[in-house]
Amino acid sequence: MIALALLLSCAPHAPPKPPLEAVTQLALTRSGHSLAGLAAISVTPDLAQLQVISAGGVELFSVQATPEDVTAQAPDPELAGLIERVPFYRDLSLVFTWRCPEARCQVGGGRLRVERDAGRTLLHWRGPGGPATVALERGRATLSDPRRGYVLTVLGEPIDVD
């Protein structure tokens, strides 16, 4: 066990990526229910911000998330409470900014393992916010959070498999 801890502590650290601002499509699915809309997203090393509007232009929810805290606003207080349970800082960072130069690295206070094959990249996360897996394809990211039981799908040009 000590050898494993030493090996993991020697994993390379991923270089920081520049901040990102984008407009994408986003869907959050849990227990057969989906919430989808157009999302304005901003991700920096310390903060992830998200505002989601419906196809009709009605604000569904907005989020400000740091590595330690999530604050959500929504027209429905029950929805705001549900949204605050989603670790959006982890999720948006995994989809847009955290990448490894090698098959494994440390980033965002956790460990990221990467599998690459023909036009697709899988990211396996262990760290703050709990485990998650992201499938990246050009223009599409699908994040699965098994502990919380939801899938976050993001569509848009800034998503790359690099």
Side-chain angles (χ1 to χ4, degrees):
M1 191 63 137
I2 293 173
L4 178 61
L6 288 173
L7 179 65
L8 291 174
S9 69
C10 295
H13 290 271
K17 285 189 102 176
L20 171 114
E21 290 186 0
V23 175
T24 66
Q25 295 178 55
L26 179 141
L28 186 62
T29 305
R30 183 172 183 239
S31 303
H33 299 284
S34 292
L35 181 63
L38 189 64
I41 296 169
S42 173
V43 182
T44 68
D46 301 323
L47 180 68
Q49 295 178 312
L50 168 68
Q51 182 178 24
V52 180
I53 61 172
S54 71
V58 175
E59 182 179 14
L60 297 174
F61 65 90
S62 63
V63 171
Q64 286 197 4
T66 66
E68 298 83 26
D69 190 37
V70 176
T71 303
Q73 294 180 341
D76 178 6
E78 187 175 328
L79 176 60
L82 290 171
I83 294 297
E84 284 183 342
R85 294 186 199 133
V86 175
F88 277 106
Y89 178 81
R90 177 204 68 183
D91 292 357
L92 296 176
S93 295
L94 280 166
V95 167
F96 292 107
T97 61
W98 290 344
R99 297 294 183 271
C100 286
E102 299 177 16
R104 296 177 191 272
C105 68
Q106 293 183 352
V107 63
R111 296 182 315 273
L112 192 58
R113 183 173 55 86
V114 181
E115 297 175 31
R116 293 181 172 91
D117 66 25
R120 183 174 133 153
T121 299
L122 288 176
L123 305 175
H124 302 279
W125 169 256
R126 295 280 185 246
T133 300
V134 182
L136 294 170
E137 301 173 60
R138 184 167 300 285
R140 180 185 188 94
T142 305
L143 180 142
S144 300
D145 183 321
R147 185 169 71 180
R148 291 176 185 83
Y150 71 88
V151 173
L152 177 69
T153 304
V154 182
L155 304 174
E157 282 185 30
I159 300 168
D160 201 358
V161 293
D162 59 7

